[in-house]
């Protein structure tokens, strides 16, 4: 069932969106084509027949792959990884790079990379830079810079993987910007950037190398080409088809021996009282049988609380449904530089909106992928794990927002909607993921809750996790603030 607003709220959306409904044409949202998909409908776990994201159309060649016809229930694996998004894919890749003889089973409830990774907005950028000032105030300079460098290094590493392995995912270098509509929000952003500039003067070798440039007033409008903004902060980033990027990462590991079992839902975990002769410490029950492993990695993001009651009991993780649309302007965008960039609008009336223009040569080049606007939902889509539905009010705002922010001259008089879809992310009170061993559960590891920022947190988090699992230590560059045990140590988790 789709969400609904009162007539008053709906009327306010029509005004806020700045678009005539008659000027928008759109199809029904598509559904995933997964003939072997489990029909199980368990609250909190992935649902069958999810909306199909723009990136997943058409499905990748490994979408429904099962490396072996039958689930290998007789074998004891070195690792079972639950989840095939960026977190699971990067963990498998990093493990097999360390030791190609490892036996690794990856189970995915639906098709490969069909969770949040294959449903996001198409960005790969270090967009949390505005947090540096607050991080310094909370954690001190050293830790704040460790977090900031982690983000930039992760983005660089994803870029390097795509290019060194010739992954075909429309990975494109772009100039990106945080764009502001209100003076108060822009003033706060400027203070944050100026703080970082001062920090860089004192510690030039410690600040991430990605220059942030401030544009104010008419200079911002002239430079970026958006008619209504009061200011902008520009820097370097990338756009991509994230689904293809991660499927490429999975294929890399498949060549090294990864056993991928799609359309196989993990139902529960069982820690064995003592090791079996083969060294198994864990059983993972699925809808196709039970598998055994020496170690288990949860790469389950927003679905983690439903699978692991202990993590759910901390009240530290919150699933949130995000929504994205792909839309095309009526104007000719071929030579218009504003459609060669990516954007985020943190203070737009409907909430944080992020936009990635599709580059030349990509599918539907010149169209844009736009997401956000969860504020238009009475619940802000919190604690929702159903990605089979579209929130019509959010869709309406997203369809109109692009025309509003780009302006009539850039966009034209009408909008064609290509696709609408939803995906489930996971948020934490401090905005950081949970990475590391689950307390008191020897051999159970987590790399979850990327806070909608997986492309800038997960890849390096996987490298740190592999260090923890194989060497028993945490690398010095890894932020203390990401460690999983803080979920059990935190106080006041009811703020979620």
């Amino acid at each position: 069932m789709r969400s609904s607003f009162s007539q008053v709220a709906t009327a306010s959306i029509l005004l806020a969106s700045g678009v005539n409904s008659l000027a928008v044409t759109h199809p029904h949202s598509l559904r995933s084509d997964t003939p072997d998909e489990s029909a199980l409908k368990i609250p909190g776990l992935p649902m069958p027949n999810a909306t199909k994201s723009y990136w997943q159309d058409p499905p990748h060649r490994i979408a429904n792959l099962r490396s072996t016809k039958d689930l290998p229930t007789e074998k004891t694996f070195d690792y079972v990884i639950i989840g095939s998004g960026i977190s699971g894919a990067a963990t498998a890749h990093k493990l097999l790079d360390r030791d190609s003889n490892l036996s690794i089973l990856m189970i995915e409830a639906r098709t490969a990379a069909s969770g949040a990774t294959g449903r996001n907005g198409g960005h790969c950028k270090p967009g949390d830079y505005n947090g540096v000032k607050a991080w310094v105030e909370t954690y001190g300079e050293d830790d704040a810079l460790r977090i900031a460098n982690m983000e930039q290094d992760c983005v660089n590493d994803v870029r390097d993987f795509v290019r060194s392995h010739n992954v075909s995912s429309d990975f494109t270098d772009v100039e990106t910007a945080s764009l502001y509509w209100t003076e108060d929000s822009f003033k706060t952003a400027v203070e944050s950037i100026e703080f970082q500039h001062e920090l860089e003067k004192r510690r030039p070798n410690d600040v991430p190398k990605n220059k942030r440039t401030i544009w104010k007033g008419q200079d911002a409008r002239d430079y970026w080409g958006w008619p209504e903004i009061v200011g902008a902060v520009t820097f370097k980033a990338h756009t991509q088809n994230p689904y293809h990027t991660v499927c490429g990462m999975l294929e890399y590991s498949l060549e090294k021996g990864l056993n991928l079992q799609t359309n196989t839902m993990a139902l529960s975990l069982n820690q064995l009282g003592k090791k079996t002769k083969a060294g198994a410490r864990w059983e993972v029950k699925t809808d196709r049988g039970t598998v055994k492993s020496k170690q288990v990695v949860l790469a389950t993001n927003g679905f983690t609380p439903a699978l692991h009651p202990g993590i759910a009991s901390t009240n530290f993780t919150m699933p949130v449904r995000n929504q994205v649309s792909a839309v095309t302007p009526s104007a000719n965008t071929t030579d218009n530089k504003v459609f060669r960039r990516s954007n985020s609008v943190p203070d737009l009336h409907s909430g944080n909106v992020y936009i990635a223009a599709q580059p030349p040569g990509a599918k539907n080049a010149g169209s844009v992928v736009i997401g956000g606007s969860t504020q238009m939902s009475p619940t802000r889509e919190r604690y929702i794990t159903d990605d089979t539905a579209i929130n019509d009010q959010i869709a309406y705002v997203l369809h109109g927002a692009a025309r509003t922010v780009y302006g009539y001259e850039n966009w034209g008089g009408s909008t064609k909607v290509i696709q609408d879809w939803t995906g489930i992310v996971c948020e934490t009170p401090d905005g950081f993921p949970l990475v590391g061993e689950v307390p008191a559960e020897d051999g159970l590891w987590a790399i979850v809750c990327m806070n909608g920022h997986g492309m800038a947190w997960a890849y390096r988090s996987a490298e740190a996790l592999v260090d923890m699992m194989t060497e028993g230590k945490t690398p010095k560059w890894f932020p203390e603030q990401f460690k999983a045990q803080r979920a059990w140590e935190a106080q006041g988790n009811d703020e979620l």
Side-chain angles (χ1 to χ4, degrees):
M1 180 179 294
R2 294 181 176 180
S3 304
S4 61
F5 272 166
S6 67
Q7 291 180 339
V8 173
T10 302
S12 68
I13 292 169
L14 302 183
L15 293 172
S17 66
V19 64
N20 183 335
S21 62
L22 296 178
V24 178
T25 59
H26 59 93
H28 295 294
S29 58
L30 300 177
R31 300 291 161 184
S32 296
D33 182 17
T34 53
D36 296 321
E37 190 176 74
S38 170
L40 289 175
K41 295 182 179 180
I42 300 174
L45 292 179
M47 301 288 285
N49 300 313
T51 55
K52 181 183 287 186
S53 88
Y54 173 80
W55 313 115
Q56 295 170 306
D57 187 15
H60 195 274
R61 54 184 167 265
I62 67 166
N64 290 289
L65 178 68
R66 288 177 176 171
S67 299
T68 54
K69 180 180 178 181
D70 297 320
L71 189 68
T73 56
E74 300 302 318
K75 180 176 180 177
T76 294
F77 287 88
D78 292 316
Y79 294 89
V80 167
I81 299 173
I82 306 174
S84 66
I86 179 67
S87 298
T91 301
H93 147 45
K94 299 287 185 179
L95 280 168
L96 289 166
D97 273 358
R98 299 279 183 100
D99 184 354
S100 60
N101 293 316
L102 289 173
S103 60
I104 303 177
L105 174 69
M106 179 179 287
I107 55 178
E108 168 58 53
R110 300 183 297 203
T111 60
S114 60
T117 293
R119 299 172 174 276
N120 68 31
H123 298 264
C124 184
K125 68 177 185 178
D128 274 6
Y129 64 91
N130 265 341
V132 171
K133 186 172 185 290
W135 296 339
V136 169
E137 293 168 353
T138 304
Y139 309 117
E141 281 188 7
D142 289 345
D143 279 2
L145 289 171
R146 192 173 288 112
I147 296 167
N149 278 294
M150 164 85 177
E151 183 187 41
Q152 184 66 57
D153 290 345
C154 190
V155 168
N156 293 346
D157 285 356
V158 172
R159 174 202 63 199
D160 292 346
F161 177 88
V162 168
R163 291 181 174 162
S164 63
H165 294 92
N166 297 314
V167 177
S168 180
S169 60
D170 296 322
F171 202 92
T172 305
D173 297 338
V174 296
E175 185 177 24
T176 192
S178 298
L179 303 161
Y180 295 89
W181 286 55
T182 60
E183 292 287 356
D184 287 347
S185 294
F186 182 53
K187 179 182 177 182
T188 300
V190 169
E191 290 173 354
S192 177
I193 299 304
E194 289 177 343
F195 176 88
Q196 291 178 59
H197 288 168
E198 289 300 316
L199 189 60
E200 187 171 15
K201 290 178 183 178
R202 290 191 291 105
R203 303 183 62 169
N205 296 324
D206 299 328
V207 174
K209 302 299 184 286
N210 193 337
K211 182 182 178 182
R212 266 78 184 187
T213 302
I214 299 169
W215 301 83
K216 298 180 179 180
Q218 193 59 46
D219 286 343
R221 292 185 285 275
D222 290 343
Y223 180 73
W224 205 253
W226 283 25
E228 301 294 334
I229 58 174
V230 300
V233 178
T234 60
F235 55 101
K236 295 178 181 178
H238 316 279
T239 58
Q240 62 172 336
N241 180 324
Y243 173 62
H244 283 180
T245 291
V246 173
C247 283
M249 201 174 293
L250 290 171
E251 287 189 306
Y252 173 85
S253 293
L254 287 166
E255 291 177 0
K256 288 178 171 283
L258 173 69
N259 186 320
L260 173 62
Q261 295 288 323
T262 64
N263 302 303
T264 303
M265 186 180 294
L267 302 175
S268 63
L269 308 173
N270 177 37
Q271 186 176 18
L272 301 176
K274 61 179 181 179
K275 289 184 183 180
T276 66
K277 290 182 179 180
R281 290 186 287 178
W282 286 90
E283 291 179 337
V284 180
K285 181 181 179 182
T286 81
D287 58 339
R288 296 174 57 218
T290 298
V291 294
K292 297 179 287 294
S293 185
K294 298 173 184 177
Q295 304 195 69
V296 173
V297 178
L298 298 175
T300 42
N301 211 30
F303 302 110
T304 305
L307 186 60
H308 192 279
I311 292 176
S313 70
T314 67
N315 199 32
F316 197 80
T317 64
M318 176 174 64
V320 179
R321 183 171 66 190
N322 281 3
Q323 190 159 317
V324 191
S325 299
V327 296
T328 301
S330 59
N332 185 343
T333 65
T334 303
D335 298 317
N336 191 336
K337 66 180 182 180
V338 303
F339 292 97
R340 299 289 185 272
R341 299 161 166 166
S342 73
N343 321 269
S344 65
V345 193
D347 63 341
L348 196 62
H349 52 77
S350 59
N352 183 35
V353 169
Y354 42 91
I355 303 174
Q358 298 308 286
K363 180 178 71 170
N364 296 309
S367 62
V368 302
V369 173
I370 177 169
S373 295
T374 54
Q375 288 181 355
M376 304 313 295
S377 165
T379 65
R380 297 197 176 188
E381 303 293 89
R382 293 174 172 176
Y383 296 104
I384 296 176
T385 55
D386 180 4
D387 54 8
T388 69
I390 297 294
N391 182 310
D392 286 332
Q393 282 70 41
I394 292 177
Y396 193 88
V397 172
L398 292 178
H399 298 168
R403 181 183 172 195
T404 299
V405 296
Y406 277 97
Y408 178 83
E409 185 176 343
N410 290 318
W411 192 264
S414 63
T415 298
K416 178 183 178 182
V417 179
I418 303 170
Q419 215 154 313
D420 295 303
W421 67 97
T422 50
I424 310 305
V425 302
C426 184
E427 297 182 0
T428 58
D430 54 19
F432 301 133
L434 300 179
V435 183
E437 191 164 26
V438 176
E441 299 193 62
D442 190 30
L444 180 63
W445 306 85
I447 177 168
V448 300
C449 289
M450 293 293 150
N451 287 269
H453 203 40
M455 286 295 165
W457 290 143
Y459 195 81
R460 293 281 279 177
S461 290
E463 185 171 337
L465 182 67
V466 169
D467 272 0
M468 297 176 205
M469 294 190 297
T470 61
E471 300 180 19
K473 62 181 182 180
T474 303
K476 292 181 179 179
W477 51 261
F478 189 68
E480 182 80 17
Q481 292 73 21
F482 285 27
K483 291 186 176 180
Q485 63 261 35
R486 77 184 192 284
W488 284 262
E489 298 167 353
Q491 300 296 316
N493 294 342
D494 57 351
E495 66 185 88
L496 279 176

